Amino acid sequence: MNRREFLHAMAIAAAGGMVLDSSSALAQQSADALYALPKFGNVHLMHFTDCHAQLLPVHFREPSVNLGFGEAQGRVPHLVGEQMLKASGIAPGTPEAHAFTYLNFEEAARTYGRLGGFAHLSTLVKRIRGGRPGALLLDGGDTWQGSGTALWTNGQDMVDAALQLGVNVMTAHWEMTLGDKRVKEIVERDFKGRIDFVAQNIKTTDFGDPVFAPYVMKEMNGVPIAIIGQAFPYTPIANPRYMVPEWSFGIQEENMQKTVDEARAKGAKAVVLLSHNGMDVDIKLASRVRGIDVILGGHTHDAIPRPISVSNPGGKTLVTNAGSNGKFLAVLDLDVRDGKLQDLRYKLLPVFSNLLPADRDMQALIDRVRAPYVGKLNERLATTQGLLYRRGNFNGSFDQLIVDALMDVKGAEIAFSPGFRWGTTLLPNSPILMEHLMDQTATTYSYTTLSTLSGDTIKTIMEDVADNLFNPDPYYQQGGDMVRVGGMTYAIDPLAKIGSRIRDMRLNGKPLEASKNYKVAGWAPVAEGAKGEMVWDVVGQWLRDQKTVAPRKLNMPRLLGVQSNPGMAG
């Protein structure tokens, strides 16, 4: 779709009485207007994170449930819909409102088109660099995982794309699920002399030696700056330990302070943390570690239009998070004078593929890496009548489809699907291609399982996951969403104490019995030695048999004590 066709489509949408403020939308569709960003200061950084290997433009629905409690309640990122727009100063019915919220998602998605895509992101990166020579591009991780091609090429497609994009510095999380040897191979071969891979919190388990450089010093316009890396702290817990058996992770707050102090002692006039902690963890870290000017965060997929200022014993630190799936590019301009940061400007830019022409060289690379797999990716499995999405604290319609398929195929009474936050969105009446299924399931350990579990064990599992999400201390949160459940209904009180959040578990209307055994299907086990059919094979065959998939009825838990929480749509 070219720009003329795009504007024509919006005019039709406006004539059709869309809820969107179509006149405002039409007035703002100039790429020059949306992406004109006056240069400021003398140090310039760009940041993207959590693209999850999406080389092509995508639809991705932002959450309608993103609960926060205690200090986090009523604070971004734990605001959704109108509350999010109001807090961020974004007008309803605009392209930005679509990028940052779930509101009017289907209509807005058809109006504004897909976001992201590395060819379009590349065009925007070059545009920003054109006005800011020497600007650095930072990759927050979760880049080498999340698609069929990334899985089948062992991450090489994304490594090549990152090099083509001009990434300068990177940290990591899901990259580790390719295994420690593969990660080291990429860092030491592909990235050598081109991309700095930094992580102050990854050490050897024997002697505690750094595995990667903790930070890198860069100089721009005569200003030395330090970029510190923070990989996902809970990698060996949230993902299989056997993939990184000789590496330890963790938040390592004391070591972070030492790293910041060392960088300052070596002359850094500004310190930036490239983090994959998750937003709430970064906010707590910022309150306790001195000397970090800005945290460019990732992991929790939160698109934060305005940074949060956090006070600490050394001053203030700004905390941001740059969304996911290649939908956004953050631009950070620092004014560093007289030996310290004086001021800054930050903008999180949505990457509208209809407004940014595809970069020719990047598109050629994408076409080349996809070519061997096009037939497989384009296999039409079924058609969806309803919207299929994932992101949200408790369930998504694509997750529901997966648990429904697992129960049908495996003959299970109950099914679990991990609370992953990655996975693209399909509009109603769209074909479900194998590529779309891989977008939801492509990990190196996507084995399906069928287990016999007691009611008591099921509750223990549910309580453990709930604590990972709702523990009042951010340092004990792992940043995912609640496990998706098929077959069984339950209630949850996120504010309750550990071990008391899950209530009223029922199967076919009858309470689960603690000592009774139930057949439970699942996928993506983290235990070493787990084997089984790959989940895309199981769900793929189910979809082929279905041919047409009716809108999914979400198996949502009954939520207790959160009715007035602004992190939940009314």
Side-chain angles (χ1 to χ4, degrees), residues 323-336:
S324 67
N325 288 271
K327 284 180 60 175
F328 301 94
L329 179 70
V331 181
L332 174 66
D333 293 324
L334 305 175
D335 178 15
V336 184

Side-chain angles (χ1 to χ4, degrees), residues 443-479:
T443 84
T444 52
Y445 56 99
S446 292
Y447 310 109
T448 55
T449 60
L450 183 63
S451 306
T452 300
L453 302 177
S454 69
D456 186 61
T457 299
I458 292 170
K459 185 176 189 300
T460 298
I461 292 170
M462 298 282 286
E463 290 283 6
D464 183 60
V465 177
D467 191 55
N468 289 339
L469 183 60
F470 297 118
N471 192 296
D473 186 343
Y475 277 9
Y476 290 93
Q477 297 171 7
Q478 294 180 18

Side-chain angles (χ1 to χ4, degrees), residues 54-74:
Q54 296 303 317
L55 287 173
L56 300 182
V58 299
H59 294 301
F60 184 78
R61 180 187 183 273
E62 298 297 328
S64 51
V65 182
N66 189 354
L67 297 173
F69 302 98
E71 292 182 1
Q73 183 165 335

Side-chain angles (χ1 to χ4, degrees), residues 3 57 70 101 115 162 185 224 289 310 361 387 417 558:
R3 187 168 182 272
T101 74
L115 282 86
E185 178 185 44
V289 175
V310 180
D361 292 337
L387 180 72
S417 186
R558 183 163 53 90

Side-chain angles (χ1 to χ4, degrees), residues 359-389:
D359 177 73
R360 185 174 300 176
D361 292 337
M362 182 63 81
Q363 189 62 57
L365 183 149
I366 293 170
D367 293 342
R368 184 168 66 253
V369 300
R370 287 173 58 84
Y373 311 103
V374 167
K376 192 173 182 179
L377 292 168
N378 287 340
E379 182 192 356
R380 184 168 184 151
L381 303 173
T383 299
T384 178
Q385 294 179 335
L387 180 72
L388 292 180
Y389 65 92

Side-chain angles (χ1 to χ4, degrees), residues 79-124:
L79 296 171
V80 299
E82 290 88 352
Q83 299 275 6
M84 176 66 166
L85 296 183
K86 184 178 180 180
S88 305
I90 297 174
T94 60
E96 290 88 346
H98 171 54
F100 286 98
T101 74
Y102 70 92
L103 295 170
N104 304 305
F105 182 80
E106 294 176 27
E107 298 90 339
R110 292 190 175 95
T111 298
Y112 301 121
R114 291 177 171 83
L115 282 86
F118 263 52
H120 307 275
L121 177 62
S122 180
T123 296
L124 183 55

